[in-house]
Amino acid sequence: MDYILRSARFIAADVFNQAIRPGDTVVDATMGNGHDTLTLCRLVGPEGRVYAFDVQPAAVENTRMRLEEAGVLDRATLFCLGHEHILEKVPGPIALAAFNLGWLPGGDKSITTHWETTRQAVEGALSLLKPMGVCVICAYPGHQEGDRERGQLIDLLAQLPPQQYNVLWNKFLNAGPGAPECFVIQRQ
């Protein structure tokens, strides 16, 4: 089988498959239409738990229906709430936290993630990670808030102590401006 180097989303999916074990507790910090939430539910298995967040009721409902159709809704706790509430709602430790920054695919592009709440959520997720746990963040710098968020995220992650975290930045150099980027942070 040939290995194909693909987008940030495929890199994130590879990390999910490597980092999650049945029975794990994980977080989908940006539920969207529920594709990642479904993948995470399948990976944690019947004994695991997925906590998923989104501020848009349509995203929560789309995700609920997707999980119900797949028969895995009982593995998830869905919050119509901003991801900045992660520390209030998620018992640690967690094996993985997933973020897709930006807007709901197919939704209102004026509703985006914002650095102020994303920072709180990322810091919260990092504090909940168990040893060797992973935080995966896909950033979409192709719009004004996305550019700002990505820049602030780089600054935050660059300051993490290397004795506690390994930080990887996946960026396709020839993909052009605005191409998605993937950050993988592992707690040591």
Side-chain angles (χ1 to χ4, degrees):
M1 181 165 115
D2 294 329
Y3 177 76
I4 300 171
L5 188 59
R6 298 190 195 180
S7 74
R9 295 292 312 124
F10 285 95
I11 291 169
D14 284 345
V15 174
F16 295 173
N17 286 313
Q18 295 294 323
I20 299 172
R21 300 289 172 259
D24 278 344
T25 299
V26 302
V27 172
D28 185 351
T30 49
M31 202 180 312
N33 286 310
H35 297 285
D36 282 350
T37 313
L38 175 58
T39 298
L40 296 174
C41 283
R42 288 179 171 151
L43 289 170
V44 301
E47 302 301 317
R49 177 56 76 209
V50 177
Y51 293 90
F53 295 83
D54 208 294
V55 296
Q56 297 184 72
V60 178
E61 183 57 20
N62 290 344
T63 300
R64 187 194 63 73
M65 290 185 331
R66 185 176 307 282
L67 299 182
E68 191 169 55
E69 186 177 293
V72 296
L73 183 59
D74 62 329
R75 301 175 190 182
T77 302
L78 308 180
F79 296 105
C80 189
L81 194 63
H83 53 201
E84 68 272 19
H85 297 281
I86 188 171
L87 289 178
E88 299 164 31
K89 300 295 183 181
V90 178
I94 62 173
L96 181 134
F99 290 78
N100 276 299
L101 305 181
W103 54 71
L104 175 67
D108 181 351
K109 291 184 178 181
S110 70
I111 302 172
T112 70
T113 54
H114 294 278
W115 176 244
E116 292 74 22
T117 54
T118 297
R119 179 190 51 77
Q120 286 179 266
V122 169
E123 289 175 346
L126 292 176
S127 75
L128 290 174
L129 288 177
K130 68 181 185 179
M132 303 309 289
V134 178
C135 182
V136 181
I137 306 168
C138 287
Y140 299 84
H143 58 99
Q144 185 176 357
E145 185 58 30
D147 287 340
R148 180 168 112 47
E149 204 168 26
R150 176 190 157 276
Q152 295 290 332
L153 180 63
I154 291 168
D155 291 345
L156 173 72
L157 298 180
Q159 295 175 32
L160 291 176
Q163 302 82 3
Q164 295 175 357
Y165 297 96
N166 290 320
V167 181
L168 178 66
W169 178 13
N170 292 286
K171 178 179 178 179
F172 288 83
L173 293 175
N174 62 345
E181 300 173 15
C182 184
F183 299 85
V184 181
I185 307 100
Q186 185 173 48
R187 186 173 191 165
Q188 295 187 35

